[in-house]
Amino acid sequence: QVQLVESGGGLVQAGGSLALSCAAYGLTFSSYHMGWFRQAPGKEREFVAAISKTGEISYHADPVQGRFTISRDNAKNTLYLHMNSLKPEDTAAYYCAAGTRITSVQTAASYDYWGQGTQVTVSS
């Protein structure tokens, strides 16, 4: 059974930092492209970042470019999202996702498996 388990969310002041993790179980982690998405109340799920199977290629959405960094450790079956200079508009539930055939990294439908999400709240 495939499971993606996010952790590391919490409450932080604007300008602060958080590091999210996503532990993968029940799949060959190194065979999957991975992504982070977020969803704020009343809004659609939004692409944040994605990383290739080997970690050599990564993509970051414009709103987080230069502030967030996606990475992975295939030996630990873990995906990370390091978030700096957080803003109140970054407040959302953050989800990790895994997919083998990604037609578009920014499209949620491209991913096969999803975690349950971890809440990030940034206070002003």
Side-chain angles (χ1 to χ4, degrees), residues 13-69:
Q13 289 188 331
S17 300
L18 278 176
L20 305 184
S21 298
C22 170
Y25 304 93
L27 53 74
T28 303
F29 185 68
S30 59
S31 297
Y32 284 79
H33 303 290
M34 300 296 296
W36 286 101
F37 288 74
R38 66 186 181 185
Q39 188 167 19
K43 295 188 176 181
E44 293 186 354
R45 191 162 295 192
E46 175 188 29
F47 169 75
V48 176
I51 191 166
S52 62
K53 298 175 184 179
T54 62
E56 291 181 350
I57 302 173
S58 62
Y59 309 88
H60 297 82
D62 287 344
V64 307
Q65 182 73 43
R67 299 188 297 121
F68 292 11
T69 302

